[in-house]
């Protein structure tokens, strides 16, 4: 998460460091300068690129394993896609309205801090940071499932754990080498990401067999309970809906384009997700899908016979998810970097080398590795599911805080568009109810781990707040606090 100051500074602002991230993302979607490289200061981009940024960030690596994760609930989980899309679009509209009011870079962090002060802003940044490195652990576990198609590693938890750790440290090393190498990895991985997804999403419909769907609800709970539980898992696939809002400072006419890009990108990603998951459900028998560690590979093997297609898909998915880890590692380092610039994170996180906040990268990969090892060695049968549910809880914290900021503005009557008051109120209420519903659907274990992470953050904030009071306050910082 990236935050700009509220007053001009003689030193480079955090938004200038965001240009390195945006530059890498521009490389990913084919937006480079005349020399084929990204300049230090990225140009502002319009609606098409902002939409591609949202869609590209939403469609990460988790989708490659999620069909198997939601299969135990039955095909009632497909309904969760529809409900989740409605909620995600409500969030997208809330982000759009907040960006229209405050088009600075930073997204939920900026909106929350501006409405409720430093502590709430810190919680939004802290929870979002947790989401990034916990999701890195989940992505590594998902990647191991496809690595197993190529090299058997899942036969023993130690080999699977070591493989997951290696998949996290390789992107970290690429980040230590500098943003130039991060962008190169992203370019290759993004192209390969869409190959298996589109192959299954479109081609799988021609091989669809309704008899393979299995029972409607196999969860043992009510249909509403099954939809809630599967939606909590599926939210992992929608992380990134806030991308245009986080990058608002880099979007031309942000007051208008952030909301439009967020809605269009979310809807486009939802379509790819729904078609891909539906095709997997209709091509892989239900009893086989429940136990699958590489559902897209199994779907292609069923479609074309043999194992060559599944092996090729596994290779493409593995490269894609490694690239996704590459990008999210940099993003997770930028979050504490921006907060450190505001004095809300330790100053060490603001250190950069070759355009990369190296301390943030190092801390992120260590924490992600420790969490991965803990979940493997603790004997959890569904490591990916546990990690995904933790990110569901931590991701909804900044989403809910941003929604609360919009509710605050609506109720207080500050900068409210009166003709749109009723519509904005309905959308905000929908987004708030959706966020609370997802927290409940994450389950006790995920909420327990997520709350522990948040409580540790409160201790960090206490130390940082005390340090800020002990040192002289700069005029620009005083003005920022006054906001």
């Amino acid at each position: 998460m990236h935050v700009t100051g509220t007053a001009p500074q003689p030193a480079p602002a955090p938004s200038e460091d965001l240009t390195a991230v945006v530059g890498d993302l521009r490389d990913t979607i084919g937006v480079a300068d005349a020399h084929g490289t990204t300049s230090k200061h990225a140009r502002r981009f319009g609606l098409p690129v902002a939409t591609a940024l949202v869609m590209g960030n939403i469609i990460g690596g988790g989708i490659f394993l999620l069909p198997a994760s939601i299969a135990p609930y039955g095909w009632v989980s497909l309904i969760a896609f529809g409900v989740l899309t409605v909620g995600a679009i409500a969030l997208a509209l809330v982000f759009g309205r907040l960006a229209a009011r405050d088009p600075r870079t930073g997204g939920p962090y900026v909106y929350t801090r501006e409405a409720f002060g430093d502590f709430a802003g810190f919680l939004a940044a802290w929870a979002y940071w947790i989401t990034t490195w916990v999701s890195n652990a989940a992505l590594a576990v998902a990647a191991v499932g496809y690595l197993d198609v190529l090299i058997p590693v899942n036969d023993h938890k130690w080999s699977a754990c070591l493989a997951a750790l290696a998949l996290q440290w390789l992107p970290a090393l690429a980040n230590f080498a500098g943003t130039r190498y991060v962008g190169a990895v992203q370019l290759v991985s993004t192209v390969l990401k869409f190959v298996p997804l589109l192959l299954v999403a479109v081609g799988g419909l021609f091989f669809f067999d309704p008899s393979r769907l299995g029972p409607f609800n196999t969860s043992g709970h009510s249909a509403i309970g099954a939809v809630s539980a599967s939606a909590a898992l599926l939210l992992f696939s929608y992380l990134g809906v806030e991308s245009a809002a986080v990058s608002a400072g880099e979007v031309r006419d942000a007051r208008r384009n952030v909301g439009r890009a967020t809605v269009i990108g979310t809807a486009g990603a939802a379509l790819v997700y729904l078609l891909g998951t539906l095709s997997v459900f209709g091509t892989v028998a239900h009893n086989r899908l429940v136990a699958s560690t590489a559902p897209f590979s199994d779907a292609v093997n069923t479609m074309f016979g043999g194992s060559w297609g599944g092996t090729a898909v596994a290779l493409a998915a593995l490269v894609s998810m490694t690239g996704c880890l590459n990008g999210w590692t940099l993003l997770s380092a930028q979050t504490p970097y921006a907060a450190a610039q505001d004095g809300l994170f330790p100053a060490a996180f603001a250190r950069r080398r070759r355009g990369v906040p190296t301390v943030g990268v190092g801390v992120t990969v260590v924490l992600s590795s420790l969490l991965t090892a803990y979940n493997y060695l603790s004997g959890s049968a569904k490591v990916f599911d546990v990690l995904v549910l933790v990110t569901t809880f931590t991701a909804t914290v900044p989403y809910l805080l941003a929604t609360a900021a919009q509710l605050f503005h609506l109720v207080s009557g500050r900068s409210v568009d009166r003709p749109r008051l009723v519509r904005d109120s309905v959308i905000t209420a929908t987004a708030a109810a959706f966020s609370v519903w997802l927290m409940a659907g994450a389950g006790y274990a995920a909420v327990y781990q997520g709350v522990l992470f948040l409580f540790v953050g409160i201790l960090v904030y206490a130390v940082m707040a005390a340090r800020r009071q002990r040192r002289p306050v700069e005029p620009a910082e005083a003005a920022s606090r006054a906001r």
Side-chain angles (χ1 to χ4, degrees):
M1 192 170 296
H2 322 281
V3 184
T4 57
T6 56
Q9 301 291 324
S15 60
E16 293 177 359
D17 296 281
L18 176 69
T19 59
V21 185
V22 174
D24 294 332
L25 295 171
R26 291 173 63 224
D27 279 349
T28 297
I29 52 182
V31 183
D33 62 18
H35 303 286
T37 60
T38 306
S39 63
K40 179 180 179 181
H41 302 284
R43 295 188 297 265
R44 289 175 177 259
F45 46 79
L47 178 62
V49 176
T51 302
L53 178 64
V54 173
M55 192 170 179
N57 278 5
I58 291 176
I59 301 178
I63 184 60
F64 289 105
L65 194 58
L66 279 174
S69 296
I70 62 176
Y73 298 99
W75 59 273
V76 66
S77 55
L78 295 176
I79 298 176
F81 260 118
V83 177
L84 189 65
T85 300
V86 172
I89 289 178
L91 277 174
L93 291 169
V94 168
F95 285 141
R97 295 299 296 154
L98 288 167
R101 184 181 185 279
D102 187 350
R104 290 180 295 159
T105 294
Y109 171 80
V110 168
Y111 312 142
T112 303
R113 188 178 181 220
E114 192 273 339
F116 307 121
D118 284 350
F119 180 64
F122 171 84
L123 284 182
W126 180 265
Y128 192 80
W129 178 52
I130 292 171
T131 299
T132 56
W133 59 260
V134 174
S135 66
N136 277 3
L139 282 171
V141 172
V144 168
Y146 283 89
L147 177 63
D148 189 63
V149 176
L150 308 174
I151 305 171
V153 293
N154 268 338
D155 293 336
H156 193 277
K157 64 181 179 182
W158 279 106
S159 59
C161 181
L162 290 174
L165 294 177
L167 288 168
Q168 291 173 67
W169 278 91
L170 288 175
L173 293 176
N175 273 268
F176 283 132
T179 55
R180 175 183 178 184
Y181 297 95
V182 175
V185 173
Q186 288 300 102
L187 176 62
V188 175
S189 64
T190 298
V191 173
L192 291 176
K193 171 167 58 181
F194 284 96
V195 172
L197 284 176
L198 294 177
L199 176 64
V200 175
V202 179
L205 297 178
F206 295 96
F207 297 87
F208 189 88
D209 184 353
S211 65
R212 293 176 178 144
L213 289 174
F216 174 70
N217 182 3
T218 58
S219 66
H221 303 287
S222 66
I224 295 177
V227 169
S228 297
S230 54
L233 285 171
L234 290 168
L235 177 66
F236 182 76
S237 295
Y238 280 84
L239 295 182
V241 65
E242 72 287 348
S243 296
V246 170
S247 305
E250 311 303 322
V251 180
R252 286 198 304 269
D253 193 9
R255 297 182 188 274
R256 179 169 178 261
N257 285 334
V258 166
R260 295 171 65 194
T262 303
V263 172
I264 296 171
T266 302
L271 180 62
V272 173
Y273 281 165
L274 181 59
L275 289 179
T277 304
L278 180 64
S279 294
V280 171
F281 269 58
T283 53
V284 182
H286 180 261
N287 60 345
R288 184 184 172 195
L289 181 59
V290 169
S292 176
T293 60
F296 276 79
S297 289
D298 292 339
V300 172
N301 285 339
T302 302
M303 289 162 57
F304 301 110
S307 60
W308 65 269
T311 300
V313 168
L315 181 60
L318 184 62
V319 174
S320 169
M321 286 186 279
T322 302
C324 194
L325 281 165
N326 179 66
W328 276 95
T329 297
L330 181 60
L331 181 61
S332 62
Q334 293 286 351
T335 303
Y337 172 82
Q341 292 289 86
D342 284 337
L344 297 181
F345 266 52
F349 285 93
R351 297 173 186 168
R352 290 186 305 138
R353 184 181 180 187
R354 298 177 180 175
V356 175
T358 51
V359 173
V361 170
V363 173
T364 292
V365 72
V366 168
L367 290 174
S368 179
S369 299
L370 290 174
L371 183 62
T372 302
Y374 168 76
N375 278 278
Y376 265 115
L377 303 181
S378 64
S380 176
K382 288 284 188 177
V383 179
F384 178 78
D385 293 1
V386 171
L387 294 174
V388 164
L389 289 173
V390 171
T391 64
T392 297
F393 174 78
T394 56
T396 52
V397 171
Y399 291 170
L400 184 60
L401 286 171
T403 303
Q406 173 68 350
L407 181 63
F408 168 78
H409 296 310
L410 292 174
V411 175
S412 66
R414 297 196 312 169
S415 302
V416 174
D417 187 353
R418 296 293 178 181
R420 302 182 56 168
L421 180 59
V422 174
R423 184 175 71 176
D424 285 349
S425 298
V426 172
I427 291 172
T428 303
T430 301
F434 172 70
S435 299
V436 173
W437 172 59
L438 286 174
M439 282 188 177
Y444 293 108
V447 172
Y448 170 74
Q449 292 189 44
V451 168
L452 287 179
F453 287 140
L454 289 180
F455 281 0
V456 171
I458 293 175
L459 299 177
V460 173
Y461 177 81
V463 173
M464 297 306 302
R467 287 184 175 180
R468 292 178 73 189
Q469 286 191 358
R470 290 177 58 184
R471 63 181 173 82
V473 179
E474 297 294 334
E477 185 178 347
S480 177
R481 291 185 186 182
R483 289 178 63 88

